[in-house]
Amino acid sequence: MKNNLLASTWLQAVACLLIVISNAESFVTQLSPARFSALGGYASSLGQLGVFLFFMTSGYLVASLHWNDFGEGKVMAFIKGRLVKILPVYYLFTLITIVFWIIHPAWFPSTKVEPADNLLSLLFIPSVYIKELHLLTPVISAGWIFCYQVLFYMIFSVGLLLTRRSGLTFIFLSIIVLAAASITLQSENLWVQFYTNPVMLYFLSGVLCFALQPRLSTPWYHTGYSLLMVSFLAMVATIFMHGLAQLIILTFSFFILTFFSFRFVSNSPVSKILSAVGVASYSIFVCHRLLMGALEKILHLLLPGENGQITLYFALLVLVMASLSMGYLIYWLIERRASMFLRVKAG
């Protein structure tokens, strides 16, 4: 179990890196009229893979931590534990975004925020349409991921009221029905589109992987071949597949990654970096787009109008490293301490 949880932390780090690098490329392209594609034209696909991986990891971690809590009267403990993880940094950056919007709306050229949007954002209800993302988000654009996560937590908390078999049945049926509604309704309403998005199925993917693993007790270890196979399958699914086929292949890849044990030394430089990014992933997710938007405007002033490819790669590196560093600093100074304080207050 300990090894699997460590692997999940590393996978959260990979998901975080994919999303951050993908978004960094989109900001860098605004620095020059010349075409720039650091990820070979697959930035959007790799960013989407990061979201899928983040949702699978979230489902896996929630299932592993609360597998024995079904029917045990621990619903409030579950809700408190989940909220103290998300609320401090999410609320902080939501309030910062609101203040910046009030001071200088021109900093958000593609966003129109109404007073009601501020309140809805604090309730994890998306109501702001972002043109670049083609979806509803809270006031802080990166927060749409957490809107889905909170919805999953709500459904999972209801499942915890029941026995494990009944609870898991409720959780799976609820999310499958929502995903199926996207096909049957074909609604133009943005809220309906958001809450019936099949991306929610990737939470179930993580839960399913954990549920199956205790039935297979053979201790297998990752080799270079297994990791190469998983990487190949993930890339094929990301680039060439969509819908159900993509979900199945990525679920199988995730199952292999979490079921096989890693032989990596826990104090090696690579594992330390992955662990640091993994534990700080929430803070990095929340702050990175806001930070990149500010840095892009600074770089636009500092760099010449006609930027070469080397300059753009340097700008990409600056955005990525600044986002990771700032995210980890926020985790260490705010998220970690606020979570510990709220856990003590929550009993």
Side-chain angles (χ1 to χ4, degrees), residues 66 68-79 157 160-161:
H66 301 279
N68 296 319
D69 292 346
F70 286 92
E72 297 294 326
K74 297 182 178 181
V75 176
M76 291 308 299
F78 168 77
I79 294 174
S157 66
L160 286 177
L161 294 170

Side-chain angles (χ1 to χ4, degrees), residues 24-36 292-319:
E25 185 186 280
S26 69
F27 279 101
V28 169
T29 55
Q30 301 176 37
L31 295 174
S32 173
R35 185 177 183 275
F36 176 73
M292 285 182 183
L295 288 176
E296 182 268 325
K297 289 176 172 56
I298 294 174
L299 290 173
H300 197 77
L301 295 174
L302 297 177
L303 298 177
E306 293 294 333
N307 296 307
Q309 294 293 305
I310 295 178
T311 303
L312 295 178
Y313 274 106
F314 172 75
L316 178 74
L317 180 63
V318 169
L319 293 184

Side-chain angles (χ1 to χ4, degrees), residues 10 31 50 68 73 92 100 104-105 129 156 185-186 190 202-204 206 239 259-260 265 275 277 325 335 338:
W10 292 347
L31 295 174
N68 296 319
L92 172 64
F100 282 175
H104 203 295
Y129 183 73
F156 197 92
L185 296 179
Q186 296 290 318
L190 293 175
Y202 284 90
F203 287 114
L204 298 185
I239 297 172
F259 178 64
F260 284 31
V265 179
S275 296
V277 174
S325 301
E335 179 191 335

Side-chain angles (χ1 to χ4, degrees), residues 56-70:
M56 286 190 285
T57 307
S58 296
Y60 185 91
L61 285 172
V62 167
S64 63
L65 294 172
H66 301 279
W67 191 248
N68 296 319
D69 292 346
F70 286 92

